[in-house]
Amino acid sequence: MFDPKFEILLKFLQENPDRLSSRSKKLHLDSDDGINALHESYIKAKQSKLQLSKPTTIPDEAVSVILQECCNYSNEQTERIKVEHQLSMSAENLVGALLERYIAQTLEPHGWIWCAGDFVRAIDFIKYHKSTDRWEAVQVKNRDNTENSSSSAIRNGTEIQKWFRTFSKPSRNRSSNTNWENFPEAEFRDQLSEEGFLQFIRDYLTS
């Protein structure tokens, strides 16, 4: 038996097959095996425990030379910067995944489905309205300078709503560098906040 939320997600993909995006040929809609593989990927993503990954890329030595010559850093300092930079990049990659989980815990009790598993293109949350036979779709990003996928319409002309958590540049016209007050689903704006997200991260990583 499939997870009930996955069954709704499957219905969405069957009606909008162009939204299926996967690098694996095993994940497809053309057979029971393909659908079972999608279900397994969905369940695995929802149950997996995220953690900070150990950097595996090789640092560019030229960066250290520039820092030493322009900023008078010592060899010891640039070696520490290398490690800290790699860890910071890993942490940034983790933020986006945690953001989806934070939002999911608020939206899913209200009929929304988190598109876990990274096989739905350009959409992170969907909701089906049976009374109107229409879908709602939301794409979330961590920053406003993160590249967004094309915003083509899904079935019945429904547009994908896009939202980002933080602004990349300061502005005198804003009281905050976060964008929670503009979350596309207005009914959840008083339930989602930067303070709540940061506490969610602390609780998640220490549990």
Side-chain angles (χ1 to χ4, degrees), residues 48-80:
S48 64
K49 175 66 176 180
L50 298 177
Q51 53 187 321
L52 188 66
S53 60
K54 185 177 181 180
T56 57
T57 56
I58 301 173
D60 188 344
E61 188 61 29
V63 173
S64 295
V65 173
I66 291 172
L67 291 175
Q68 290 168 7
E69 296 302 320
C70 295
C71 304
N72 294 320
Y73 285 128
S74 65
N75 288 332
E76 292 76 13
Q77 287 174 314
T78 53
E79 285 301 310
R80 188 187 69 210

PDB file of all heavy atoms in Angstrom, residues 48-80:
ATOM      1  N   SER A  48      14.444  10.097   6.149  1.00  0.00           N
ATOM      2  CA  SER A  48      15.888  10.254   6.314  1.00  0.00           C
ATOM      3  C   SER A  48      16.210  11.375   7.299  1.00  0.00           C
ATOM      4  O   SER A  48      15.499  12.376   7.390  1.00  0.00           O
ATOM      5  CB  SER A  48      16.547  10.551   4.963  1.00  0.00           C
ATOM      6  OG  SER A  48      16.087  11.785   4.444  1.00  0.00           O
ATOM      7  N   LYS A  49      17.275  11.200   8.035  1.00  0.00           N
ATOM      8  CA  LYS A  49      17.742  12.186   9.002  1.00  0.00           C
ATOM      9  C   LYS A  49      18.852  13.016   8.373  1.00  0.00           C
ATOM     10  O   LYS A  49      19.907  12.486   8.013  1.00  0.00           O
ATOM     11  CB  LYS A  49      18.255  11.481  10.260  1.00  0.00           C
ATOM     12  CG  LYS A  49      18.881  12.403  11.291  1.00  0.00           C
ATOM     13  CD  LYS A  49      17.870  13.356  11.904  1.00  0.00           C
ATOM     14  CE  LYS A  49      18.524  14.188  13.016  1.00  0.00           C
ATOM     15  NZ  LYS A  49      17.586  15.127  13.632  1.00  0.00           N
ATOM     16  N   LEU A  50      18.622  14.308   8.219  1.00  0.00           N
ATOM     17  CA  LEU A  50      19.619  15.179   7.625  1.00  0.00           C
ATOM     18  C   LEU A  50      20.724  15.485   8.620  1.00  0.00           C
ATOM     19  O   LEU A  50      20.488  15.626   9.816  1.00  0.00           O
ATOM     20  CB  LEU A  50      18.973  16.494   7.178  1.00  0.00           C
ATOM     21  CG  LEU A  50      17.881  16.406   6.107  1.00  0.00           C
ATOM     22  CD1 LEU A  50      17.302  17.788   5.855  1.00  0.00           C
ATOM     23  CD2 LEU A  50      18.423  15.821   4.826  1.00  0.00           C
ATOM     24  N   GLN A  51      21.933  15.612   8.109  1.00  0.00           N
ATOM     25  CA  GLN A  51      23.054  16.018   8.933  1.00  0.00           C
ATOM     26  C   GLN A  51      24.098  16.714   8.069  1.00  0.00           C
ATOM     27  O   GLN A  51      24.091  16.578   6.849  1.00  0.00           O
ATOM     28  CB  GLN A  51      23.662  14.824   9.654  1.00  0.00           C
ATOM     29  CG  GLN A  51      24.043  13.656   8.750  1.00  0.00           C
ATOM     30  CD  GLN A  51      24.478  12.446   9.539  1.00  0.00           C
ATOM     31  OE1 GLN A  51      25.167  12.574  10.541  1.00  0.00           O
ATOM     32  NE2 GLN A  51      24.070  11.268   9.107  1.00  0.00           N
ATOM     33  N   LEU A  52      24.960  17.459   8.723  1.00  0.00           N
ATOM     34  CA  LEU A  52      25.994  18.190   8.001  1.00  0.00           C
ATOM     35  C   LEU A  52      26.972  17.207   7.388  1.00  0.00           C
ATOM     36  O   LEU A  52      27.560  16.375   8.088  1.00  0.00           O
ATOM     37  CB  LEU A  52      26.720  19.142   8.951  1.00  0.00           C
ATOM     38  CG  LEU A  52      27.705  20.130   8.310  1.00  0.00           C
ATOM     39  CD1 LEU A  52      26.967  21.129   7.435  1.00  0.00           C
ATOM     40  CD2 LEU A  52      28.482  20.871   9.400  1.00  0.00           C
ATOM     41  N   SER A  53      27.131  17.291   6.076  1.00  0.00           N
ATOM     42  CA  SER A  53      28.024  16.368   5.384  1.00  0.00           C
ATOM     43  C   SER A  53      29.469  16.855   5.452  1.00  0.00           C
ATOM     44  O   SER A  53      29.733  18.052   5.466  1.00  0.00           O
ATOM     45  CB  SER A  53      27.605  16.208   3.920  1.00  0.00           C
ATOM     46  OG  SER A  53      27.652  17.458   3.249  1.00  0.00           O
ATOM     47  N   LYS A  54      30.389  15.912   5.492  1.00  0.00           N
ATOM     48  CA  LYS A  54      31.811  16.239   5.523  1.00  0.00           C
ATOM     49  C   LYS A  54      32.257  16.674   4.132  1.00  0.00           C
ATOM     50  O   LYS A  54      31.982  15.999   3.141  1.00  0.00           O
ATOM     51  CB  LYS A  54      32.617  15.020   5.967  1.00  0.00           C
ATOM     52  CG  LYS A  54      34.099  15.294   6.142  1.00  0.00           C
ATOM     53  CD  LYS A  54      34.829  14.064   6.649  1.00  0.00           C
ATOM     54  CE  LYS A  54      36.309  14.341   6.837  1.00  0.00           C
ATOM     55  NZ  LYS A  54      37.039  13.145   7.334  1.00  0.00           N
ATOM     56  N   PRO A  55      32.918  17.832   4.020  1.00  0.00           N
ATOM     57  CA  PRO A  55      33.363  18.310   2.698  1.00  0.00           C
ATOM     58  C   PRO A  55      34.267  17.309   2.005  1.00  0.00           C
ATOM     59  O   PRO A  55      35.154  16.715   2.625  1.00  0.00           O
ATOM     60  CB  PRO A  55      34.126  19.601   3.028  1.00  0.00           C
ATOM     61  CG  PRO A  55      33.615  20.021   4.364  1.00  0.00           C
ATOM     62  CD  PRO A  55      33.292  18.753   5.099  1.00  0.00           C
ATOM     63  N   THR A  56      34.036  17.113   0.715  1.00  0.00           N
ATOM     64  CA  THR A  56      34.849  16.164  -0.057  1.00  0.00           C
ATOM     65  C   THR A  56      35.563  16.831  -1.228  1.00  0.00           C
ATOM     66  O   THR A  56      36.409  16.208  -1.860  1.00  0.00           O
ATOM     67  CB  THR A  56      33.962  15.025  -0.604  1.00  0.00           C
ATOM     68  OG1 THR A  56      32.911  15.579  -1.405  1.00  0.00           O
ATOM     69  CG2 THR A  56      33.352  14.224   0.536  1.00  0.00           C
ATOM     70  N   THR A  57      35.219  18.088  -1.521  1.00  0.00           N
ATOM     71  CA  THR A  57      35.861  18.774  -2.646  1.00  0.00           C
ATOM     72  C   THR A  57      37.264  19.233  -2.269  1.00  0.00           C
ATOM     73  O   THR A  57      37.562  19.498  -1.099  1.00  0.00           O
ATOM     74  CB  THR A  57      35.027  19.995  -3.085  1.00  0.00           C
ATOM     75  OG1 THR A  57      34.842  20.869  -1.949  1.00  0.00           O
ATOM     76  CG2 THR A  57      33.672  19.562  -3.605  1.00  0.00           C
ATOM     77  N   ILE A  58      38.114  19.345  -3.277  1.00  0.00           N
ATOM     78  CA  ILE A  58      39.493  19.785  -3.074  1.00  0.00           C
ATOM     79  C   ILE A  58      39.547  21.311  -3.159  1.00  0.00           C
ATOM     80  O   ILE A  58      39.147  21.896  -4.172  1.00  0.00           O
ATOM     81  CB  ILE A  58      40.420  19.178  -4.135  1.00  0.00           C
ATOM     82  CG1 ILE A  58      40.367  17.646  -4.061  1.00  0.00           C
ATOM     83  CG2 ILE A  58      41.848  19.681  -3.956  1.00  0.00           C
ATOM     84  CD1 ILE A  58      41.122  16.962  -5.186  1.00  0.00           C
ATOM     85  N   PRO A  59      40.016  21.999  -2.103  1.00  0.00           N
ATOM     86  CA  PRO A  59      40.090  23.461  -2.128  1.00  0.00           C
ATOM     87  C   PRO A  59      41.051  23.956  -3.207  1.00  0.00           C
ATOM     88  O   PRO A  59      42.014  23.277  -3.566  1.00  0.00           O
ATOM     89  CB  PRO A  59      40.612  23.817  -0.730  1.00  0.00           C
ATOM     90  CG  PRO A  59      40.374  22.598   0.101  1.00  0.00           C
ATOM     91  CD  PRO A  59      40.482  21.428  -0.828  1.00  0.00           C
ATOM     92  N   ASP A  60      40.786  25.137  -3.722  1.00  0.00           N
ATOM     93  CA  ASP A  60      41.645  25.758  -4.726  1.00  0.00           C
ATOM     94  C   ASP A  60      42.772  26.497  -4.014  1.00  0.00           C
ATOM     95  O   ASP A  60      42.540  27.465  -3.289  1.00  0.00           O
ATOM     96  CB  ASP A  60      40.812  26.728  -5.573  1.00  0.00           C
ATOM     97  CG  ASP A  60      41.593  27.280  -6.765  1.00  0.00           C
ATOM     98  OD1 ASP A  60      42.841  27.164  -6.773  1.00  0.00           O
ATOM     99  OD2 ASP A  60      40.965  27.843  -7.672  1.00  0.00           O
ATOM    100  N   GLU A  61      44.000  26.046  -4.216  1.00  0.00           N
ATOM    101  CA  GLU A  61      45.150  26.628  -3.533  1.00  0.00           C
ATOM    102  C   GLU A  61      45.347  28.097  -3.902  1.00  0.00           C
ATOM    103  O   GLU A  61      45.877  28.891  -3.104  1.00  0.00           O
ATOM    104  CB  GLU A  61      46.416  25.833  -3.867  1.00  0.00           C
ATOM    105  CG  GLU A  61      47.648  26.227  -3.060  1.00  0.00           C
ATOM    106  CD  GLU A  61      47.453  26.010  -1.564  1.00  0.00           C
ATOM    107  OE1 GLU A  61      46.688  25.112  -1.191  1.00  0.00           O
ATOM    108  OE2 GLU A  61      48.077  26.760  -0.789  1.00  0.00           O
ATOM    109  N   ALA A  62      44.894  28.474  -5.104  1.00  0.00           N
ATOM    110  CA  ALA A  62      45.058  29.871  -5.531  1.00  0.00           C
ATOM    111  C   ALA A  62      44.302  30.823  -4.617  1.00  0.00           C
ATOM    112  O   ALA A  62      44.722  31.969  -4.406  1.00  0.00           O
ATOM    113  CB  ALA A  62      44.574  30.032  -6.971  1.00  0.00           C
ATOM    114  N   VAL A  63      43.184  30.370  -4.057  1.00  0.00           N
ATOM    115  CA  VAL A  63      42.413  31.208  -3.136  1.00  0.00           C
ATOM    116  C   VAL A  63      43.247  31.530  -1.904  1.00  0.00           C
ATOM    117  O   VAL A  63      43.270  32.667  -1.428  1.00  0.00           O
ATOM    118  CB  VAL A  63      41.097  30.499  -2.737  1.00  0.00           C
ATOM    119  CG1 VAL A  63      40.369  31.298  -1.650  1.00  0.00           C
ATOM    120  CG2 VAL A  63      40.207  30.309  -3.940  1.00  0.00           C
ATOM    121  N   SER A  64      43.959  30.546  -1.388  1.00  0.00           N
ATOM    122  CA  SER A  64      44.801  30.776  -0.212  1.00  0.00           C
ATOM    123  C   SER A  64      45.926  31.762  -0.511  1.00  0.00           C
ATOM    124  O   SER A  64      46.252  32.621   0.309  1.00  0.00           O
ATOM    125  CB  SER A  64      45.392  29.444   0.274  1.00  0.00           C
ATOM    126  OG  SER A  64      44.378  28.587   0.735  1.00  0.00           O
ATOM    127  N   VAL A  65      46.508  31.649  -1.710  1.00  0.00           N
ATOM    128  CA  VAL A  65      47.584  32.570  -2.094  1.00  0.00           C
ATOM    129  C   VAL A  65      47.064  34.003  -2.148  1.00  0.00           C
ATOM    130  O   VAL A  65      47.708  34.943  -1.665  1.00  0.00           O
ATOM    131  CB  VAL A  65      48.183  32.164  -3.456  1.00  0.00           C
ATOM    132  CG1 VAL A  65      49.175  33.223  -3.943  1.00  0.00           C
ATOM    133  CG2 VAL A  65      48.877  30.802  -3.337  1.00  0.00           C
ATOM    134  N   ILE A  66      45.868  34.184  -2.708  1.00  0.00           N
ATOM    135  CA  ILE A  66      45.271  35.524  -2.788  1.00  0.00           C
ATOM    136  C   ILE A  66      45.045  36.089  -1.387  1.00  0.00           C
ATOM    137  O   ILE A  66      45.356  37.256  -1.104  1.00  0.00           O
ATOM    138  CB  ILE A  66      43.946  35.475  -3.580  1.00  0.00           C
ATOM    139  CG1 ILE A  66      44.233  35.173  -5.053  1.00  0.00           C
ATOM    140  CG2 ILE A  66      43.178  36.790  -3.442  1.00  0.00           C
ATOM    141  CD1 ILE A  66      42.993  34.924  -5.872  1.00  0.00           C
ATOM    142  N   LEU A  67      44.509  35.292  -0.489  1.00  0.00           N
ATOM    143  CA  LEU A  67      44.252  35.748   0.876  1.00  0.00           C
ATOM    144  C   LEU A  67      45.552  36.081   1.603  1.00  0.00           C
ATOM    145  O   LEU A  67      45.631  37.059   2.358  1.00  0.00           O
ATOM    146  CB  LEU A  67      43.479  34.678   1.649  1.00  0.00           C
ATOM    147  CG  LEU A  67      42.041  34.432   1.209  1.00  0.00           C
ATOM    148  CD1 LEU A  67      41.440  33.257   1.970  1.00  0.00           C
ATOM    149  CD2 LEU A  67      41.186  35.677   1.404  1.00  0.00           C
ATOM    150  N   GLN A  68      46.590  35.295   1.356  1.00  0.00           N
ATOM    151  CA  GLN A  68      47.871  35.561   2.000  1.00  0.00           C
ATOM    152  C   GLN A  68      48.492  36.858   1.495  1.00  0.00           C
ATOM    153  O   GLN A  68      49.040  37.653   2.277  1.00  0.00           O
ATOM    154  CB  GLN A  68      48.821  34.383   1.763  1.00  0.00           C
ATOM    155  CG  GLN A  68      48.437  33.124   2.513  1.00  0.00           C
ATOM    156  CD  GLN A  68      49.205  31.906   2.047  1.00  0.00           C
ATOM    157  OE1 GLN A  68      50.135  32.018   1.244  1.00  0.00           O
ATOM    158  NE2 GLN A  68      48.822  30.726   2.532  1.00  0.00           N
ATOM    159  N   GLU A  69      48.402  37.091   0.193  1.00  0.00           N
ATOM    160  CA  GLU A  69      49.033  38.272  -0.396  1.00  0.00           C
ATOM    161  C   GLU A  69      48.223  39.544  -0.172  1.00  0.00           C
ATOM    162  O   GLU A  69      48.779  40.621   0.033  1.00  0.00           O
ATOM    163  CB  GLU A  69      49.243  38.049  -1.897  1.00  0.00           C
ATOM    164  CG  GLU A  69      50.207  36.918  -2.231  1.00  0.00           C
ATOM    165  CD  GLU A  69      51.578  37.130  -1.611  1.00  0.00           C
ATOM    166  OE1 GLU A  69      52.073  38.278  -1.603  1.00  0.00           O
ATOM    167  OE2 GLU A  69      52.164  36.137  -1.126  1.00  0.00           O
ATOM    168  N   CYS A  70      46.902  39.448  -0.213  1.00  0.00           N
ATOM    169  CA  CYS A  70      46.046  40.636  -0.104  1.00  0.00           C
ATOM    170  C   CYS A  70      45.642  40.966   1.334  1.00  0.00           C
ATOM    171  O   CYS A  70      45.404  42.131   1.664  1.00  0.00           O
ATOM    172  CB  CYS A  70      44.781  40.460  -0.943  1.00  0.00           C
ATOM    173  SG  CYS A  70      45.084  40.362  -2.716  1.00  0.00           S
ATOM    174  N   CYS A  71      45.568  39.941   2.178  1.00  0.00           N
ATOM    175  CA  CYS A  71      45.090  40.157   3.548  1.00  0.00           C
ATOM    176  C   CYS A  71      46.127  39.800   4.609  1.00  0.00           C
ATOM    177  O   CYS A  71      45.830  39.880   5.808  1.00  0.00           O
ATOM    178  CB  CYS A  71      43.822  39.339   3.792  1.00  0.00           C
ATOM    179  SG  CYS A  71      42.481  39.666   2.625  1.00  0.00           S
ATOM    180  N   ASN A  72      47.311  39.393   4.152  1.00  0.00           N
ATOM    181  CA  ASN A  72      48.410  39.057   5.059  1.00  0.00           C
ATOM    182  C   ASN A  72      48.082  37.899   6.006  1.00  0.00           C
ATOM    183  O   ASN A  72      48.553  37.865   7.142  1.00  0.00           O
ATOM    184  CB  ASN A  72      48.830  40.287   5.879  1.00  0.00           C
ATOM    185  CG  ASN A  72      49.439  41.362   5.003  1.00  0.00           C
ATOM    186  OD1 ASN A  72      50.203  41.069   4.080  1.00  0.00           O
ATOM    187  ND2 ASN A  72      49.080  42.613   5.281  1.00  0.00           N
ATOM    188  N   TYR A  73      47.229  36.962   5.531  1.00  0.00           N
ATOM    189  CA  TYR A  73      46.943  35.791   6.345  1.00  0.00           C
ATOM    190  C   TYR A  73      48.132  34.837   6.316  1.00  0.00           C
ATOM    191  O   TYR A  73      48.837  34.721   5.315  1.00  0.00           O
ATOM    192  CB  TYR A  73      45.708  35.053   5.820  1.00  0.00           C
ATOM    193  CG  TYR A  73      44.397  35.737   6.146  1.00  0.00           C
ATOM    194  CD1 TYR A  73      43.473  35.996   5.139  1.00  0.00           C
ATOM    195  CD2 TYR A  73      44.076  36.081   7.460  1.00  0.00           C
ATOM    196  CE1 TYR A  73      42.262  36.605   5.424  1.00  0.00           C
ATOM    197  CE2 TYR A  73      42.872  36.696   7.751  1.00  0.00           C
ATOM    198  CZ  TYR A  73      41.967  36.956   6.740  1.00  0.00           C
ATOM    199  OH  TYR A  73      40.780  37.558   7.027  1.00  0.00           O
ATOM    200  N   SER A  74      48.342  34.147   7.418  1.00  0.00           N
ATOM    201  CA  SER A  74      49.413  33.150   7.488  1.00  0.00           C
ATOM    202  C   SER A  74      48.935  31.842   6.863  1.00  0.00           C
ATOM    203  O   SER A  74      47.745  31.665   6.574  1.00  0.00           O
ATOM    204  CB  SER A  74      49.795  32.899   8.954  1.00  0.00           C
ATOM    205  OG  SER A  74      48.691  32.305   9.644  1.00  0.00           O
ATOM    206  N   ASN A  75      49.884  30.917   6.683  1.00  0.00           N
ATOM    207  CA  ASN A  75      49.513  29.600   6.159  1.00  0.00           C
ATOM    208  C   ASN A  75      48.510  28.903   7.079  1.00  0.00           C
ATOM    209  O   ASN A  75      47.565  28.261   6.613  1.00  0.00           O
ATOM    210  CB  ASN A  75      50.763  28.721   6.015  1.00  0.00           C
ATOM    211  CG  ASN A  75      51.639  29.159   4.868  1.00  0.00           C
ATOM    212  OD1 ASN A  75      51.160  29.723   3.890  1.00  0.00           O
ATOM    213  ND2 ASN A  75      52.934  28.897   4.982  1.00  0.00           N
ATOM    214  N   GLU A  76      48.716  29.038   8.392  1.00  0.00           N
ATOM    215  CA  GLU A  76      47.805  28.409   9.348  1.00  0.00           C
ATOM    216  C   GLU A  76      46.398  28.998   9.240  1.00  0.00           C
ATOM    217  O   GLU A  76      45.393  28.275   9.307  1.00  0.00           O
ATOM    218  CB  GLU A  76      48.335  28.584  10.772  1.00  0.00           C
ATOM    219  CG  GLU A  76      49.608  27.819  11.083  1.00  0.00           C
ATOM    220  CD  GLU A  76      50.854  28.470  10.479  1.00  0.00           C
ATOM    221  OE1 GLU A  76      50.758  29.640  10.029  1.00  0.00           O
ATOM    222  OE2 GLU A  76      51.910  27.813  10.432  1.00  0.00           O
ATOM    223  N   GLN A  77      46.326  30.326   9.064  1.00  0.00           N
ATOM    224  CA  GLN A  77      45.020  30.976   8.960  1.00  0.00           C
ATOM    225  C   GLN A  77      44.277  30.563   7.689  1.00  0.00           C
ATOM    226  O   GLN A  77      43.068  30.302   7.724  1.00  0.00           O
ATOM    227  CB  GLN A  77      45.191  32.504   8.985  1.00  0.00           C
ATOM    228  CG  GLN A  77      45.564  33.047  10.358  1.00  0.00           C
ATOM    229  CD  GLN A  77      45.870  34.530  10.316  1.00  0.00           C
ATOM    230  OE1 GLN A  77      46.604  35.010   9.432  1.00  0.00           O
ATOM    231  NE2 GLN A  77      45.322  35.271  11.262  1.00  0.00           N
ATOM    232  N   THR A  78      44.995  30.490   6.567  1.00  0.00           N
ATOM    233  CA  THR A  78      44.324  30.111   5.322  1.00  0.00           C
ATOM    234  C   THR A  78      43.902  28.647   5.334  1.00  0.00           C
ATOM    235  O   THR A  78      42.889  28.281   4.724  1.00  0.00           O
ATOM    236  CB  THR A  78      45.220  30.393   4.094  1.00  0.00           C
ATOM    237  OG1 THR A  78      46.499  29.769   4.274  1.00  0.00           O
ATOM    238  CG2 THR A  78      45.396  31.890   3.888  1.00  0.00           C
ATOM    239  N   GLU A  79      44.667  27.801   6.033  1.00  0.00           N
ATOM    240  CA  GLU A  79      44.264  26.407   6.154  1.00  0.00           C
ATOM    241  C   GLU A  79      42.951  26.305   6.948  1.00  0.00           C
ATOM    242  O   GLU A  79      42.060  25.518   6.609  1.00  0.00           O
ATOM    243  CB  GLU A  79      45.359  25.582   6.840  1.00  0.00           C
ATOM    244  CG  GLU A  79      46.551  25.277   5.959  1.00  0.00           C
ATOM    245  CD  GLU A  79      46.158  24.503   4.716  1.00  0.00           C
ATOM    246  OE1 GLU A  79      45.442  23.488   4.837  1.00  0.00           O
ATOM    247  OE2 GLU A  79      46.563  24.920   3.610  1.00  0.00           O
ATOM    248  N   ARG A  80      42.839  27.106   7.998  1.00  0.00           N
ATOM    249  CA  ARG A  80      41.609  27.100   8.794  1.00  0.00           C
ATOM    250  C   ARG A  80      40.441  27.654   7.981  1.00  0.00           C
ATOM    251  O   ARG A  80      39.324  27.138   8.050  1.00  0.00           O
ATOM    252  CB  ARG A  80      41.803  27.940  10.053  1.00  0.00           C
ATOM    253  CG  ARG A  80      40.626  27.831  11.045  1.00  0.00           C
ATOM    254  CD  ARG A  80      40.787  28.817  12.183  1.00  0.00           C
ATOM    255  NE  ARG A  80      40.612  30.172  11.708  1.00  0.00           N
ATOM    256  CZ  ARG A  80      41.214  31.242  12.235  1.00  0.00           C
ATOM    257  NH1 ARG A  80      42.070  31.093  13.224  1.00  0.00           N
ATOM    258  NH2 ARG A  80      40.984  32.451  11.763  1.00  0.00           N
TER     259      ARG A  80
END
